[in-house]
Every structure is written in structure tokens, then in C-alpha cells.
Amino acid sequence: MEKLEVGDKMYNVVQDGFDDFARYSFSEVVKLTETLAVLKNGIRLINKPKPSYIMEDIGYSVSRKKGTHWHKVSLQAIRNAQIENEKIKVHNWFEEKEFSLEEKSTIYELLAK
């Protein structure tokens, strides 16, 4: 398990309950101290990798919030974030849209078959 270096791309996932969408945040290591890695968004990680089991095998704890982990970005994480963002976009569109009776009829005809 290796320590973080400047330029490493990191991500975190937050979910508010089982029914909520997974919301991904991405950042980059911009500064290192003796024990911390500071991300571009200001979050400070303890620069000591540890087993995580949350999203990836290895995680880096947020300083003073040891239960919150950030992980090195992987292709799978990027793909999962794209899928979740598309789900959120669709959900928000339906939440904000007010359908006319004609639109409701069209949707019904398309889905009721």
C-alpha cells in the first residue's frame, strides 16, 4: 500500500440512505505535509493507506473524520459516477417536469404495451 503523491486523482462517494443516489466527488492531491495529503477542494486526508471495503480495497481517511474515506480514481469509479449522474439527471427531470394530459397519454401509450 502506497502513500499519496501530488497529482493523484481521488474520489469519494456519499449516499444519504439506501434509497438515495450515490453522489461522487472528485479532487486531486495538491499538497503534502508530513502526515497529510491536501486535496484541491481543501479536504485533508491522512496519508496512510488502510483497508477500506467501502468502494475500493484501499482508502485514505479524512482527517478528523476517520470513517469517511477517499479512494484513488479508477476507470470503474469514473464509469459508476457517469451512470449515477445519468440516473440523477433523469430523476430530477421527472421531478421538475409538469406533464400535460397529452404528454401523460403519450407516455402511457409507450409504457403500457
Side-chain angles (χ1 to χ4, degrees):
M1 295 192 280
E2 58 193 49
K3 289 189 170 195
L4 296 172
E5 297 178 8
V6 171
D8 283 346
K9 310 288 191 253
M10 306 296 293
Y11 79 97
N12 176 292
V13 181
V14 176
Q15 191 171 8
D16 189 20
F18 292 110
D19 292 338
D20 191 27
F21 296 104
R23 300 176 193 280
Y24 285 73
S25 300
F26 292 88
S27 195
E28 179 179 343
V29 177
V30 292
K31 182 180 175 184
L32 296 173
T33 69
E34 208 171 292
T35 58
L36 298 175
V38 182
L39 301 180
K40 188 181 274 187
N41 61 5
I43 292 176
R44 300 177 323 164
L45 303 176
I46 297 172
N47 197 1
K48 183 178 179 185
K50 63 186 229 177
S52 177
Y53 312 115
I54 297 172
M55 297 302 292
E56 306 277 346
D57 293 337
I58 305 299
Y60 297 84
S61 298
V62 173
S63 178
R64 300 180 187 197
K65 288 186 181 178
K66 294 193 175 24
T68 303
H69 296 168
W70 281 69
H71 310 277
K72 284 189 176 182
V73 170
S74 63
L75 290 175
Q76 186 62 46
I78 292 170
R79 184 65 189 134
N80 290 345
Q82 291 170 334
I83 291 168
E84 283 297 307
N85 286 341
E86 187 64 26
K87 289 178 188 177
I88 292 168
K89 186 169 79 173
V90 169
H91 178 268
N92 289 345
W93 185 83
F94 274 99
E95 288 290 312
E96 296 166 2
K97 176 78 174 155
E98 290 188 30
F99 294 100
S100 67
L101 182 57
E102 183 180 334
E103 290 170 325
K104 289 179 182 179
S105 296
T106 302
I107 292 170
Y108 176 79
E109 290 298 321
L110 289 170
L111 298 177
K113 294 180 180 181

